[in-house]
Amino acid sequence: MTLGQGNDIKSASVLMCVGERTLTPLMLQGEPALSGFRLIALLNRIRKAVGGSIADVSASYVYMIDAKNELSADALAKTQALLQADEHFEAEDGFYVIPRKGTISPWSSKATDIFRNCGISEVLRVERGIHYRVIGTDGVLPMERCQSVLPILYDRMTQGVYKDVFDMFEHMPPVPFIEVDIVHGGKQTLQKANVEMGLALSDDEIDYLYNAYQAIARNPTDVELVMFGQVNSEHCRHKIFNADWIIDGQRRSYSLFGMIKNTHDRNPVGTLVAYKDNSGVVEGFDSDLFRVDRRNGNNYCYEQDCIDIIMKVETHNHPTAISPYPGAATGVGGEIRDESATGVGSKSKAGLSAFFVSNLHIPGFVMPWEKEYAEFPERLATPLEIMTDGPIGSAGFGNEYGRPQLFGLFKTFEQEYNGRYRGYHKPIMVAGGMGNILRKHVYKKDIPSG
């Protein structure tokens, strides 16, 4: 099993540590981050964006190791083998594209778990980045001269561009809560915090918060406001599902969620779990289950048990719209998590993903019905970018968990209405799957007092 790309294992110098914490991460050299074909495509994109003054571009993986103390020779050899990394990496020019400092990437979480399972306890965390060199006619360009190139090289949602990464694993002490003083400053203080903190709260949400804290006669903290903003974000605005549904001034009998539940309410036959856990469960059947022999962990055996079927479908729209590859990947990851967390635990077996986007406008293959317009939101990925990167992200995440993506779907749609083009500018990304759960594991257990 390997986590990186590389060739021969070579010796590496390990940076000095003080006490139990690494002051500067150990940097290991990886192989090129892009194949020759992708590197040529990237170079062409850069030249198209900034002109023909760019002679070449290089991209190499670098691995940053946070260790308790200096790695032993054995631990270093295992680290290099897992990452397929070469000698210690140093760079006097170029720049790094890495996960935003202060965050932990999904790749880091998985890789660090593998290190732990391999018994390399000295490694506290491993992170991966890419070191770029953009070469002009007068040599390697400093980062300051690459501003027009950077949007092509990194994902502004999850990554950052840095000259150095010596503080990648810096552990900052916790800071105290900050109160937003609405008691004395009124609602406008909350409105100001909404803008400065980037919470994207709507006017009715600000009214709700203001009235709620007025009722309990205290100020909200910054942490509370951030959490409220996340709970009510575009990603998971579930409150709308149970809101009153009023059409043409008439209040309907069912909310949106009530309409979704109505089918099950009218015909619940064969259903064990619906709308009350992470995924639905339908009745399965008795079968011989091939599993590890619990009496002797080195052997397998058949045991008869009742095996039921789990299934789940959800959307993960906004992250995919901003950053297609990791957005779609985390959509699939969240769906796998939900299936696995049903009852007291289950096994996800197969997945699906679907994408609904606006017209693709494929260069050199534009369809007659695909119209040009000037209102596409700049903050969103284009439909072509979503359909190029999103399916790979969703399938790749499932594959890494051993859950194949067996079904896929995509559709494009735009229509002119009242003089404006409407479409799936903000896409619909669907993640779903199915698996098995033992009947004895279907229902959550009560949490004992204390």
Side-chain angles (χ1 to χ4, degrees), residues 183-433:
V183 172
H184 298 97
K187 188 183 297 184
Q188 63 184 17
T189 307
L190 191 56
Q191 293 168 334
K192 181 181 178 183
N194 181 40
V195 174
E196 293 179 347
M197 298 172 64
L199 301 178
L201 300 176
S202 62
D203 291 340
D204 62 322
E205 290 169 341
I206 291 176
D207 291 340
Y208 171 84
L209 278 174
Y210 181 72
N211 293 332
Y213 281 99
Q214 286 285 94
I216 60 177
R218 76 167 176 86
N219 291 320
T221 68
D222 54 348
V223 175
E224 290 171 330
L225 293 181
V226 168
M227 292 308 299
F228 184 88
Q230 291 299 308
V231 169
N232 291 280
S233 70
E234 282 189 274
H235 175 202
C236 49
R237 195 169 284 174
H238 294 158
K239 62 177 184 178
I240 295 176
F241 279 23
N242 272 326
D244 292 334
W245 192 238
I246 301 172
I247 302 176
D248 296 332
Q250 298 295 317
R251 189 184 303 274
R252 302 294 167 157
S253 302
Y254 294 106
S255 66
L256 280 171
F257 203 30
M259 286 188 275
I260 293 171
K261 288 182 173 182
N262 188 51
T263 301
H264 178 258
D265 291 340
R266 294 172 66 89
N267 186 23
V269 177
T271 304
L272 299 178
V273 174
Y275 308 112
K276 60 181 181 181
D277 206 335
N278 292 285
S279 66
V281 182
V282 297
E283 290 181 350
F285 43 83
D286 291 330
S287 180
D288 288 329
L289 185 65
F290 188 61
R291 68 188 335 166
V292 173
D293 189 340
R294 294 175 181 172
R295 296 160 297 183
N296 183 351
N298 296 322
N299 297 325
Y300 287 85
C301 66
Y302 284 98
E303 287 185 12
Q304 190 170 36
D305 219 324
C306 185
I307 306 172
D308 296 315
I309 301 168
I310 57 171
M311 57 190 71
K312 170 70 179 281
V313 176
E314 67 176 28
T315 63
H316 203 75
N317 307 334
H318 191 63
T320 300
I322 298 295
S323 183
Y325 185 101
T330 54
V332 169
E335 194 277 323
I336 292 174
R337 171 205 61 208
D338 287 348
E339 288 185 50
S340 302
T342 300
V344 296
S346 63
K347 290 187 176 181
S348 181
K349 296 292 184 66
L352 65 89
S353 67
F355 298 85
F356 297 77
V357 297
S358 296
N359 289 336
L360 298 181
H361 293 273
I362 299 174
F365 197 68
V366 177
M367 296 291 102
W369 60 84
E370 295 182 336
K371 307 297 183 182
E372 292 292 340
Y373 49 84
E375 61 183 56
F376 193 89
E378 291 184 358
R379 69 185 183 279
L380 301 182
T382 66
L384 184 57
E385 289 172 336
I386 291 169
M387 289 314 305
T388 300
D389 295 337
I392 300 174
S394 62
F397 199 101
N399 287 339
E400 290 177 4
Y401 273 85
R403 190 190 81 162
Q405 204 92 304
L406 298 185
F407 176 77
L409 163 71
F410 95 93
K411 180 179 182 179
T412 64
F413 175 78
E414 277 181 30
Q415 184 175 5
E416 186 177 1
Y417 180 75
N418 285 343
R420 298 185 67 187
Y421 284 101
R422 305 287 184 176
Y424 291 115
H425 297 352
K426 176 186 173 184
I428 296 175
M429 185 272 163
V430 180

